[in-house]
Amino acid sequence: AQKVTQAQTEISVVEKEDVTLDCVYETRDTTYYLFWYKQPPSGELVFLIRRNSFDEQNEISGRYSWNFQKSTSSFNFTITASQVVDSAVYFCALSEGITGGGNKLTFGTGTQLKVEL
Amino acid sequence: DAGVIQSPRHEVTEMGQEVTLRCKPISGHDYLFWYRQTMMRGLELLIYFNNNVPIDDSGMPEDRFSAKMPNASFSTLKIQPSEPRDSAVYFCASSHSQGAKDQPQHFGDGTRLSIL
């Protein structure tokens, strides 16, 4: 069975600090997909990034970066120079590829990030 | 482009009443998912459809819950009769299958349901 663990329940940082959100996953699939979603206080779920199991290239997008390491089954997310607007719950998700396309997602329990002035 | 549209945004009703949640997926998306989010259980997949056909409803908690997708642009999740423990935020999401399998699911704003 698939499982996603976000061990950090809540993180508090001061604005401009860098922060890394951890995600560890378990799957028996050889082909799988990883996602990060953001849920701000307003409640909607916003897609941030996806990675497939064959692409371990790390990515930087503005202040966001992702570190995917298959050897440790981790897909960590770093925010550089955090801002108050980054305050949200961040969810890591693992997909079970559905035949013909589409993905059935297993979500982690989320990490509440609070960025304070 | 319009995203996934859910209605109502908030619903407060009394125990025993029928509740109907509505979802309009993104045009062209052939997968539709219903999730429930609670503090205790986090985000749970209830059911998903492909081309309007229910594929997996193993997450539906009990027979009081039912979901339909009469056409490609509309789905409903119904609870009858409702109970206080059904109080949660219900999300609808859609994705498309064209191209690579790593298509992200795009979520609606959710319906916050409170059963008194």
Side-chain angles (χ1 to χ4, degrees):
Chain A
Q2 299 193 130
K3 185 178 179 182
V4 177
T5 302
Q6 294 181 255
Q8 304 153 309
T9 305
E10 185 174 317
I11 301 176
S12 290
V13 298
V14 176
E15 202 175 37
K16 298 184 183 177
E17 285 185 3
D18 298 346
V19 57
T20 295
L21 309 181
D22 298 333
C23 173
V24 175
Y25 62 91
E26 295 175 28
T27 180
R28 285 180 290 185
D29 292 346
T30 54
T31 301
Y32 53 89
Y33 309 89
L34 295 159
F35 301 80
W36 276 97
Y37 284 83
K38 174 182 179 181
Q39 187 173 38
S42 48
E44 71 273 22
L45 277 159
V46 179
F47 163 69
L48 294 177
I49 190 172
R50 64 176 177 264
R51 268 291 176 270
N52 69 55
S53 52
F54 298 111
D55 180 8
E56 289 193 69
Q57 183 176 4
N58 296 318
E59 181 175 329
I60 298 174
S61 175
R63 296 186 298 108
Y64 297 164
S65 61
W66 291 268
N67 186 345
F68 175 34
Q69 293 197 353
K70 211 168 173 179
S71 60
T72 56
S73 298
S74 65
F75 185 45
N76 298 336
F77 170 43
T78 297
I79 302 174
T80 303
S82 60
Q83 300 175 1
V84 173
V85 292
D86 296 327
S87 297
V89 180
Y90 291 83
F91 290 95
C92 181
L94 171 66
S95 81
E96 174 184 350
I98 302 168
T99 300
N103 294 295
K104 189 175 171 181
L105 291 176
T106 299
F107 282 87
T109 50
T111 297
Q112 170 81 60
L113 174 64
K114 294 183 178 180
V115 182
E116 300 167 336
L117 292 171
Chain B
D1 289 340
V4 176
I5 299 172
Q6 291 187 246
S7 64
R9 289 297 311 276
H10 303 274
E11 174 89 12
V12 180
T13 192
E14 292 188 347
M15 175 178 167
Q17 296 297 307
E18 177 178 293
V19 173
T20 300
L21 310 181
R22 297 172 176 81
C23 175
K24 176 179 170 57
I26 293 173
S27 178
H29 282 191
D30 52 351
Y31 279 87
L32 184 139
F33 305 81
W34 281 101
Y35 290 87
R36 178 172 67 176
Q37 185 179 32
T38 61
M39 289 295 293
M40 291 297 294
R41 301 174 68 89
L43 273 160
E44 304 174 277
L45 176 65
L46 300 178
I47 184 172
Y48 74 89
F49 296 82
N50 178 221
N51 291 321
N52 314 335
V53 176
I55 303 299
D56 184 348
D57 65 355
S58 59
M60 296 285 261
E62 42 195 285
D63 291 345
R64 298 184 297 104
F65 286 70
S66 62
K68 294 182 180 179
M69 192 164 185
N71 57 63
S73 59
F74 183 66
S75 176
T76 60
L77 178 68
K78 190 171 291 188
I79 307 172
Q80 168 63 20
S82 58
E83 295 182 4
R85 59 193 168 121
D86 302 330
S87 298
V89 180
Y90 290 81
F91 286 101
C92 177
S94 70
S95 68
H96 67 79
S97 58
Q98 288 183 336
K101 285 188 177 183
D102 60 347
Q103 294 304 312
Q105 294 179 22
H106 295 274
F107 285 76
D109 289 342
T111 294
R112 186 173 295 276
L113 177 64
S114 297
I115 308 297
L116 306 177

PDB file of all heavy atoms in Angstrom, chain A residues 51-84:
ATOM      1  N   ARG A  51       6.509  15.449  -9.967  1.00  0.00           N
ATOM      2  CA  ARG A  51       7.728  14.759 -10.388  1.00  0.00           C
ATOM      3  C   ARG A  51       7.362  13.314 -10.671  1.00  0.00           C
ATOM      4  O   ARG A  51       6.561  12.731  -9.954  1.00  0.00           O
ATOM      5  CB  ARG A  51       8.786  14.779  -9.289  1.00  0.00           C
ATOM      6  CG  ARG A  51       9.745  15.928  -9.343  1.00  0.00           C
ATOM      7  CD  ARG A  51      10.665  15.808 -10.545  1.00  0.00           C
ATOM      8  NE  ARG A  51      11.551  16.949 -10.680  1.00  0.00           N
ATOM      9  CZ  ARG A  51      11.230  18.030 -11.378  1.00  0.00           C
ATOM     10  NH1 ARG A  51      10.064  18.112 -11.984  1.00  0.00           N
ATOM     11  NH2 ARG A  51      12.069  19.023 -11.477  1.00  0.00           N
ATOM     12  N   ASN A  52       7.987  12.709 -11.683  1.00  0.00           N
ATOM     13  CA  ASN A  52       7.782  11.280 -11.877  1.00  0.00           C
ATOM     14  C   ASN A  52       9.017  10.527 -11.384  1.00  0.00           C
ATOM     15  O   ASN A  52      10.093  11.101 -11.205  1.00  0.00           O
ATOM     16  CB  ASN A  52       7.435  10.947 -13.335  1.00  0.00           C
ATOM     17  CG  ASN A  52       8.612  11.152 -14.271  1.00  0.00           C
ATOM     18  OD1 ASN A  52       9.689  10.597 -14.055  1.00  0.00           O
ATOM     19  ND2 ASN A  52       8.404  11.937 -15.310  1.00  0.00           N
ATOM     20  N   SER A  53       8.853   9.245 -11.189  1.00  0.00           N
ATOM     21  CA  SER A  53       9.892   8.442 -10.547  1.00  0.00           C
ATOM     22  C   SER A  53      11.147   8.301 -11.393  1.00  0.00           C
ATOM     23  O   SER A  53      12.173   7.823 -10.902  1.00  0.00           O
ATOM     24  CB  SER A  53       9.330   7.062 -10.195  1.00  0.00           C
ATOM     25  OG  SER A  53       8.720   6.464 -11.326  1.00  0.00           O
ATOM     26  N   PHE A  54      11.086   8.677 -12.658  1.00  0.00           N
ATOM     27  CA  PHE A  54      12.258   8.569 -13.516  1.00  0.00           C
ATOM     28  C   PHE A  54      13.035   9.884 -13.610  1.00  0.00           C
ATOM     29  O   PHE A  54      14.084   9.936 -14.242  1.00  0.00           O
ATOM     30  CB  PHE A  54      11.834   8.144 -14.930  1.00  0.00           C
ATOM     31  CG  PHE A  54      11.183   6.794 -14.954  1.00  0.00           C
ATOM     32  CD1 PHE A  54       9.828   6.658 -15.235  1.00  0.00           C
ATOM     33  CD2 PHE A  54      11.908   5.654 -14.664  1.00  0.00           C
ATOM     34  CE1 PHE A  54       9.227   5.403 -15.238  1.00  0.00           C
ATOM     35  CE2 PHE A  54      11.314   4.404 -14.676  1.00  0.00           C
ATOM     36  CZ  PHE A  54       9.972   4.284 -14.957  1.00  0.00           C
ATOM     37  N   ASP A  55      12.513  10.895 -12.981  1.00  0.00           N
ATOM     38  CA  ASP A  55      13.122  12.215 -13.106  1.00  0.00           C
ATOM     39  C   ASP A  55      13.605  12.695 -11.747  1.00  0.00           C
ATOM     40  O   ASP A  55      12.837  13.279 -10.982  1.00  0.00           O
ATOM     41  CB  ASP A  55      12.109  13.203 -13.695  1.00  0.00           C
ATOM     42  CG  ASP A  55      12.698  14.601 -13.839  1.00  0.00           C
ATOM     43  OD1 ASP A  55      13.930  14.769 -13.635  1.00  0.00           O
ATOM     44  OD2 ASP A  55      11.926  15.517 -14.155  1.00  0.00           O
ATOM     45  N   GLU A  56      14.864  12.431 -11.441  1.00  0.00           N
ATOM     46  CA  GLU A  56      15.396  12.849 -10.151  1.00  0.00           C
ATOM     47  C   GLU A  56      16.072  14.201 -10.222  1.00  0.00           C
ATOM     48  O   GLU A  56      16.713  14.639  -9.275  1.00  0.00           O
ATOM     49  CB  GLU A  56      16.385  11.804  -9.624  1.00  0.00           C
ATOM     50  CG  GLU A  56      15.715  10.522  -9.168  1.00  0.00           C
ATOM     51  CD  GLU A  56      16.650   9.641  -8.363  1.00  0.00           C
ATOM     52  OE1 GLU A  56      16.998  10.014  -7.237  1.00  0.00           O
ATOM     53  OE2 GLU A  56      17.029   8.571  -8.886  1.00  0.00           O
ATOM     54  N   GLN A  57      15.925  14.855 -11.339  1.00  0.00           N
ATOM     55  CA  GLN A  57      16.519  16.186 -11.446  1.00  0.00           C
ATOM     56  C   GLN A  57      15.799  17.149 -10.523  1.00  0.00           C
ATOM     57  O   GLN A  57      14.573  17.253 -10.538  1.00  0.00           O
ATOM     58  CB  GLN A  57      16.416  16.677 -12.889  1.00  0.00           C
ATOM     59  CG  GLN A  57      17.080  18.022 -13.114  1.00  0.00           C
ATOM     60  CD  GLN A  57      17.038  18.430 -14.573  1.00  0.00           C
ATOM     61  OE1 GLN A  57      16.454  17.735 -15.399  1.00  0.00           O
ATOM     62  NE2 GLN A  57      17.652  19.539 -14.900  1.00  0.00           N
ATOM     63  N   ASN A  58      16.550  17.812  -9.686  1.00  0.00           N
ATOM     64  CA  ASN A  58      15.951  18.764  -8.784  1.00  0.00           C
ATOM     65  C   ASN A  58      15.635  20.054  -9.514  1.00  0.00           C
ATOM     66  O   ASN A  58      16.219  20.363 -10.559  1.00  0.00           O
ATOM     67  CB  ASN A  58      16.862  19.004  -7.584  1.00  0.00           C
ATOM     68  CG  ASN A  58      17.026  17.744  -6.762  1.00  0.00           C
ATOM     69  OD1 ASN A  58      16.047  17.027  -6.529  1.00  0.00           O
ATOM     70  ND2 ASN A  58      18.240  17.456  -6.357  1.00  0.00           N
ATOM     71  N   GLU A  59      14.711  20.784  -8.977  1.00  0.00           N
ATOM     72  CA  GLU A  59      14.220  21.953  -9.690  1.00  0.00           C
ATOM     73  C   GLU A  59      14.149  23.161  -8.781  1.00  0.00           C
ATOM     74  O   GLU A  59      13.886  23.047  -7.595  1.00  0.00           O
ATOM     75  CB  GLU A  59      12.829  21.646 -10.256  1.00  0.00           C
ATOM     76  CG  GLU A  59      12.214  22.788 -11.047  1.00  0.00           C
ATOM     77  CD  GLU A  59      10.894  22.390 -11.688  1.00  0.00           C
ATOM     78  OE1 GLU A  59      10.726  21.211 -12.041  1.00  0.00           O
ATOM     79  OE2 GLU A  59      10.029  23.266 -11.840  1.00  0.00           O
ATOM     80  N   ILE A  60      14.406  24.283  -9.375  1.00  0.00           N
ATOM     81  CA  ILE A  60      14.257  25.551  -8.666  1.00  0.00           C
ATOM     82  C   ILE A  60      13.296  26.406  -9.478  1.00  0.00           C
ATOM     83  O   ILE A  60      13.416  26.532 -10.691  1.00  0.00           O
ATOM     84  CB  ILE A  60      15.601  26.289  -8.518  1.00  0.00           C
ATOM     85  CG1 ILE A  60      16.577  25.457  -7.681  1.00  0.00           C
ATOM     86  CG2 ILE A  60      15.390  27.663  -7.895  1.00  0.00           C
ATOM     87  CD1 ILE A  60      17.968  26.048  -7.597  1.00  0.00           C
ATOM     88  N   SER A  61      12.320  26.956  -8.763  1.00  0.00           N
ATOM     89  CA  SER A  61      11.379  27.861  -9.411  1.00  0.00           C
ATOM     90  C   SER A  61      11.198  29.055  -8.506  1.00  0.00           C
ATOM     91  O   SER A  61      10.466  28.998  -7.525  1.00  0.00           O
ATOM     92  CB  SER A  61      10.048  27.139  -9.648  1.00  0.00           C
ATOM     93  OG  SER A  61       9.087  28.027 -10.169  1.00  0.00           O
ATOM     94  N   GLY A  62      11.870  30.110  -8.817  1.00  0.00           N
ATOM     95  CA  GLY A  62      11.811  31.299  -7.968  1.00  0.00           C
ATOM     96  C   GLY A  62      12.351  30.997  -6.581  1.00  0.00           C
ATOM     97  O   GLY A  62      13.484  30.547  -6.428  1.00  0.00           O
ATOM     98  N   ARG A  63      11.527  31.190  -5.573  1.00  0.00           N
ATOM     99  CA  ARG A  63      11.956  30.920  -4.198  1.00  0.00           C
ATOM    100  C   ARG A  63      11.735  29.472  -3.783  1.00  0.00           C
ATOM    101  O   ARG A  63      12.099  29.072  -2.688  1.00  0.00           O
ATOM    102  CB  ARG A  63      11.193  31.843  -3.235  1.00  0.00           C
ATOM    103  CG  ARG A  63      11.492  33.322  -3.423  1.00  0.00           C
ATOM    104  CD  ARG A  63      10.819  34.171  -2.354  1.00  0.00           C
ATOM    105  NE  ARG A  63       9.365  34.055  -2.388  1.00  0.00           N
ATOM    106  CZ  ARG A  63       8.650  33.411  -1.469  1.00  0.00           C
ATOM    107  NH1 ARG A  63       9.242  32.795  -0.457  1.00  0.00           N
ATOM    108  NH2 ARG A  63       7.328  33.370  -1.559  1.00  0.00           N
ATOM    109  N   TYR A  64      11.105  28.695  -4.656  1.00  0.00           N
ATOM    110  CA  TYR A  64      10.817  27.298  -4.349  1.00  0.00           C
ATOM    111  C   TYR A  64      11.853  26.376  -4.991  1.00  0.00           C
ATOM    112  O   TYR A  64      12.295  26.617  -6.112  1.00  0.00           O
ATOM    113  CB  TYR A  64       9.440  26.902  -4.907  1.00  0.00           C
ATOM    114  CG  TYR A  64       8.252  27.627  -4.342  1.00  0.00           C
ATOM    115  CD1 TYR A  64       7.026  27.584  -5.004  1.00  0.00           C
ATOM    116  CD2 TYR A  64       8.311  28.346  -3.169  1.00  0.00           C
ATOM    117  CE1 TYR A  64       5.908  28.231  -4.502  1.00  0.00           C
ATOM    118  CE2 TYR A  64       7.213  29.005  -2.658  1.00  0.00           C
ATOM    119  CZ  TYR A  64       6.007  28.945  -3.332  1.00  0.00           C
ATOM    120  OH  TYR A  64       4.906  29.593  -2.834  1.00  0.00           O
ATOM    121  N   SER A  65      12.197  25.330  -4.265  1.00  0.00           N
ATOM    122  CA  SER A  65      13.034  24.283  -4.858  1.00  0.00           C
ATOM    123  C   SER A  65      12.611  22.936  -4.293  1.00  0.00           C
ATOM    124  O   SER A  65      12.036  22.856  -3.202  1.00  0.00           O
ATOM    125  CB  SER A  65      14.526  24.542  -4.595  1.00  0.00           C
ATOM    126  OG  SER A  65      14.794  24.541  -3.208  1.00  0.00           O
ATOM    127  N   TRP A  66      12.875  21.902  -5.070  1.00  0.00           N
ATOM    128  CA  TRP A  66      12.468  20.561  -4.686  1.00  0.00           C
ATOM    129  C   TRP A  66      13.648  19.617  -4.803  1.00  0.00           C
ATOM    130  O   TRP A  66      14.440  19.697  -5.749  1.00  0.00           O
ATOM    131  CB  TRP A  66      11.326  20.076  -5.603  1.00  0.00           C
ATOM    132  CG  TRP A  66      10.069  20.818  -5.371  1.00  0.00           C
ATOM    133  CD1 TRP A  66       9.068  20.484  -4.525  1.00  0.00           C
ATOM    134  CD2 TRP A  66       9.681  22.045  -5.993  1.00  0.00           C
ATOM    135  NE1 TRP A  66       8.067  21.437  -4.577  1.00  0.00           N
ATOM    136  CE2 TRP A  66       8.419  22.401  -5.469  1.00  0.00           C
ATOM    137  CE3 TRP A  66      10.267  22.889  -6.931  1.00  0.00           C
ATOM    138  CZ2 TRP A  66       7.728  23.546  -5.850  1.00  0.00           C
ATOM    139  CZ3 TRP A  66       9.589  24.039  -7.318  1.00  0.00           C
ATOM    140  CH2 TRP A  66       8.342  24.354  -6.779  1.00  0.00           C
ATOM    141  N   ASN A  67      13.754  18.707  -3.835  1.00  0.00           N
ATOM    142  CA  ASN A  67      14.842  17.745  -3.795  1.00  0.00           C
ATOM    143  C   ASN A  67      14.244  16.342  -3.765  1.00  0.00           C
ATOM    144  O   ASN A  67      13.709  15.916  -2.744  1.00  0.00           O
ATOM    145  CB  ASN A  67      15.709  17.992  -2.554  1.00  0.00           C
ATOM    146  CG  ASN A  67      16.939  17.108  -2.531  1.00  0.00           C
ATOM    147  OD1 ASN A  67      17.028  16.129  -3.264  1.00  0.00           O
ATOM    148  ND2 ASN A  67      17.888  17.446  -1.696  1.00  0.00           N
ATOM    149  N   PHE A  68      14.327  15.658  -4.886  1.00  0.00           N
ATOM    150  CA  PHE A  68      13.777  14.312  -5.003  1.00  0.00           C
ATOM    151  C   PHE A  68      14.922  13.319  -4.943  1.00  0.00           C
ATOM    152  O   PHE A  68      15.831  13.376  -5.779  1.00  0.00           O
ATOM    153  CB  PHE A  68      13.012  14.187  -6.330  1.00  0.00           C
ATOM    154  CG  PHE A  68      12.497  12.803  -6.640  1.00  0.00           C
ATOM    155  CD1 PHE A  68      12.074  11.942  -5.638  1.00  0.00           C
ATOM    156  CD2 PHE A  68      12.411  12.366  -7.953  1.00  0.00           C
ATOM    157  CE1 PHE A  68      11.596  10.677  -5.929  1.00  0.00           C
ATOM    158  CE2 PHE A  68      11.916  11.100  -8.255  1.00  0.00           C
ATOM    159  CZ  PHE A  68      11.516  10.256  -7.243  1.00  0.00           C
ATOM    160  N   GLN A  69      14.896  12.422  -3.965  1.00  0.00           N
ATOM    161  CA  GLN A  69      15.930  11.400  -3.838  1.00  0.00           C
ATOM    162  C   GLN A  69      15.264  10.041  -3.733  1.00  0.00           C
ATOM    163  O   GLN A  69      14.705   9.671  -2.692  1.00  0.00           O
ATOM    164  CB  GLN A  69      16.808  11.675  -2.622  1.00  0.00           C
ATOM    165  CG  GLN A  69      17.643  12.933  -2.754  1.00  0.00           C
ATOM    166  CD  GLN A  69      18.794  13.000  -1.755  1.00  0.00           C
ATOM    167  OE1 GLN A  69      18.886  12.155  -0.872  1.00  0.00           O
ATOM    168  NE2 GLN A  69      19.649  13.986  -1.904  1.00  0.00           N
ATOM    169  N   LYS A  70      15.378   9.305  -4.807  1.00  0.00           N
ATOM    170  CA  LYS A  70      14.751   7.996  -4.858  1.00  0.00           C
ATOM    171  C   LYS A  70      15.390   7.032  -3.864  1.00  0.00           C
ATOM    172  O   LYS A  70      14.717   6.183  -3.282  1.00  0.00           O
ATOM    173  CB  LYS A  70      14.891   7.444  -6.280  1.00  0.00           C
ATOM    174  CG  LYS A  70      13.790   6.560  -6.745  1.00  0.00           C
ATOM    175  CD  LYS A  70      13.936   6.342  -8.238  1.00  0.00           C
ATOM    176  CE  LYS A  70      12.949   5.316  -8.716  1.00  0.00           C
ATOM    177  NZ  LYS A  70      13.053   5.097 -10.172  1.00  0.00           N
ATOM    178  N   SER A  71      16.693   7.177  -3.624  1.00  0.00           N
ATOM    179  CA  SER A  71      17.405   6.253  -2.746  1.00  0.00           C
ATOM    180  C   SER A  71      16.875   6.303  -1.314  1.00  0.00           C
ATOM    181  O   SER A  71      16.929   5.319  -0.577  1.00  0.00           O
ATOM    182  CB  SER A  71      18.905   6.551  -2.762  1.00  0.00           C
ATOM    183  OG  SER A  71      19.146   7.877  -2.322  1.00  0.00           O
ATOM    184  N   THR A  72      16.389   7.467  -0.919  1.00  0.00           N
ATOM    185  CA  THR A  72      15.851   7.618   0.437  1.00  0.00           C
ATOM    186  C   THR A  72      14.342   7.795   0.433  1.00  0.00           C
ATOM    187  O   THR A  72      13.741   8.063   1.470  1.00  0.00           O
ATOM    188  CB  THR A  72      16.497   8.828   1.134  1.00  0.00           C
ATOM    189  OG1 THR A  72      16.286  10.000   0.326  1.00  0.00           O
ATOM    190  CG2 THR A  72      17.985   8.611   1.343  1.00  0.00           C
ATOM    191  N   SER A  73      13.722   7.652  -0.744  1.00  0.00           N
ATOM    192  CA  SER A  73      12.262   7.817  -0.882  1.00  0.00           C
ATOM    193  C   SER A  73      11.809   9.143  -0.283  1.00  0.00           C
ATOM    194  O   SER A  73      10.853   9.200   0.506  1.00  0.00           O
ATOM    195  CB  SER A  73      11.520   6.653  -0.213  1.00  0.00           C
ATOM    196  OG  SER A  73      11.834   5.439  -0.822  1.00  0.00           O
ATOM    197  N   SER A  74      12.503  10.187  -0.653  1.00  0.00           N
ATOM    198  CA  SER A  74      12.143  11.497  -0.111  1.00  0.00           C
ATOM    199  C   SER A  74      11.913  12.509  -1.225  1.00  0.00           C
ATOM    200  O   SER A  74      12.531  12.436  -2.294  1.00  0.00           O
ATOM    201  CB  SER A  74      13.221  12.000   0.841  1.00  0.00           C
ATOM    202  OG  SER A  74      14.427  12.235   0.143  1.00  0.00           O
ATOM    203  N   PHE A  75      11.026  13.419  -0.962  1.00  0.00           N
ATOM    204  CA  PHE A  75      10.681  14.473  -1.937  1.00  0.00           C
ATOM    205  C   PHE A  75      10.452  15.739  -1.128  1.00  0.00           C
ATOM    206  O   PHE A  75       9.339  16.117  -0.808  1.00  0.00           O
ATOM    207  CB  PHE A  75       9.434  14.057  -2.718  1.00  0.00           C
ATOM    208  CG  PHE A  75       9.042  15.009  -3.827  1.00  0.00           C
ATOM    209  CD1 PHE A  75       9.985  15.521  -4.698  1.00  0.00           C
ATOM    210  CD2 PHE A  75       7.707  15.364  -4.011  1.00  0.00           C
ATOM    211  CE1 PHE A  75       9.631  16.381  -5.730  1.00  0.00           C
ATOM    212  CE2 PHE A  75       7.333  16.227  -5.044  1.00  0.00           C
ATOM    213  CZ  PHE A  75       8.296  16.725  -5.897  1.00  0.00           C
ATOM    214  N   ASN A  76      11.553  16.421  -0.791  1.00  0.00           N
ATOM    215  CA  ASN A  76      11.493  17.565   0.109  1.00  0.00           C
ATOM    216  C   ASN A  76      11.326  18.876  -0.655  1.00  0.00           C
ATOM    217  O   ASN A  76      11.743  19.007  -1.803  1.00  0.00           O
ATOM    218  CB  ASN A  76      12.754  17.624   0.969  1.00  0.00           C
ATOM    219  CG  ASN A  76      12.894  16.399   1.856  1.00  0.00           C
ATOM    220  OD1 ASN A  76      11.904  15.737   2.179  1.00  0.00           O
ATOM    221  ND2 ASN A  76      14.116  16.083   2.224  1.00  0.00           N
ATOM    222  N   PHE A  77      10.754  19.817   0.021  1.00  0.00           N
ATOM    223  CA  PHE A  77      10.375  21.105  -0.584  1.00  0.00           C
ATOM    224  C   PHE A  77      10.985  22.222   0.252  1.00  0.00           C
ATOM    225  O   PHE A  77      10.818  22.246   1.469  1.00  0.00           O
ATOM    226  CB  PHE A  77       8.842  21.174  -0.617  1.00  0.00           C
ATOM    227  CG  PHE A  77       8.250  22.498  -0.993  1.00  0.00           C
ATOM    228  CD1 PHE A  77       8.767  23.245  -2.033  1.00  0.00           C
ATOM    229  CD2 PHE A  77       7.143  22.987  -0.314  1.00  0.00           C
ATOM    230  CE1 PHE A  77       8.202  24.455  -2.385  1.00  0.00           C
ATOM    231  CE2 PHE A  77       6.569  24.200  -0.661  1.00  0.00           C
ATOM    232  CZ  PHE A  77       7.096  24.941  -1.692  1.00  0.00           C
ATOM    233  N   THR A  78      11.708  23.122  -0.395  1.00  0.00           N
ATOM    234  CA  THR A  78      12.365  24.219   0.307  1.00  0.00           C
ATOM    235  C   THR A  78      11.860  25.558  -0.200  1.00  0.00           C
ATOM    236  O   THR A  78      11.747  25.773  -1.409  1.00  0.00           O
ATOM    237  CB  THR A  78      13.889  24.153   0.125  1.00  0.00           C
ATOM    238  OG1 THR A  78      14.378  22.941   0.711  1.00  0.00           O
ATOM    239  CG2 THR A  78      14.583  25.345   0.780  1.00  0.00           C
ATOM    240  N   ILE A  79      11.553  26.423   0.738  1.00  0.00           N
ATOM    241  CA  ILE A  79      11.213  27.807   0.412  1.00  0.00           C
ATOM    242  C   ILE A  79      12.371  28.674   0.882  1.00  0.00           C
ATOM    243  O   ILE A  79      12.755  28.637   2.059  1.00  0.00           O
ATOM    244  CB  ILE A  79       9.917  28.264   1.105  1.00  0.00           C
ATOM    245  CG1 ILE A  79       8.755  27.345   0.715  1.00  0.00           C
ATOM    246  CG2 ILE A  79       9.599  29.707   0.740  1.00  0.00           C
ATOM    247  CD1 ILE A  79       7.467  27.635   1.477  1.00  0.00           C
ATOM    248  N   THR A  80      12.928  29.428  -0.026  1.00  0.00           N
ATOM    249  CA  THR A  80      14.032  30.324   0.293  1.00  0.00           C
ATOM    250  C   THR A  80      13.480  31.714   0.595  1.00  0.00           C
ATOM    251  O   THR A  80      12.538  32.166  -0.054  1.00  0.00           O
ATOM    252  CB  THR A  80      15.000  30.398  -0.900  1.00  0.00           C
ATOM    253  OG1 THR A  80      15.457  29.077  -1.210  1.00  0.00           O
ATOM    254  CG2 THR A  80      16.189  31.290  -0.587  1.00  0.00           C
ATOM    255  N   ALA A  81      14.055  32.344   1.597  1.00  0.00           N
ATOM    256  CA  ALA A  81      13.615  33.700   1.966  1.00  0.00           C
ATOM    257  C   ALA A  81      12.104  33.741   2.138  1.00  0.00           C
ATOM    258  O   ALA A  81      11.383  34.440   1.412  1.00  0.00           O
ATOM    259  CB  ALA A  81      14.070  34.708   0.919  1.00  0.00           C
ATOM    260  N   SER A  82      11.616  33.002   3.095  1.00  0.00           N
ATOM    261  CA  SER A  82      10.175  32.849   3.299  1.00  0.00           C
ATOM    262  C   SER A  82       9.491  34.197   3.523  1.00  0.00           C
ATOM    263  O   SER A  82      10.095  35.162   4.016  1.00  0.00           O
ATOM    264  CB  SER A  82       9.910  31.917   4.482  1.00  0.00           C
ATOM    265  OG  SER A  82      10.488  32.463   5.653  1.00  0.00           O
ATOM    266  N   GLN A  83       8.216  34.213   3.147  1.00  0.00           N
ATOM    267  CA  GLN A  83       7.394  35.406   3.308  1.00  0.00           C
ATOM    268  C   GLN A  83       6.125  35.033   4.044  1.00  0.00           C
ATOM    269  O   GLN A  83       5.707  33.871   4.044  1.00  0.00           O
ATOM    270  CB  GLN A  83       7.050  35.997   1.932  1.00  0.00           C
ATOM    271  CG  GLN A  83       8.258  36.399   1.114  1.00  0.00           C
ATOM    272  CD  GLN A  83       7.891  36.872  -0.280  1.00  0.00           C
ATOM    273  OE1 GLN A  83       6.716  36.919  -0.648  1.00  0.00           O
ATOM    274  NE2 GLN A  83       8.906  37.242  -1.062  1.00  0.00           N
ATOM    275  N   VAL A  84       5.490  36.026   4.629  1.00  0.00           N
ATOM    276  CA  VAL A  84       4.252  35.785   5.378  1.00  0.00           C
ATOM    277  C   VAL A  84       3.207  35.096   4.495  1.00  0.00           C
ATOM    278  O   VAL A  84       2.463  34.235   4.951  1.00  0.00           O
ATOM    279  CB  VAL A  84       3.711  37.094   5.962  1.00  0.00           C
ATOM    280  CG1 VAL A  84       2.332  36.884   6.585  1.00  0.00           C
ATOM    281  CG2 VAL A  84       4.678  37.658   6.994  1.00  0.00           C
TER     282      VAL A  84
END
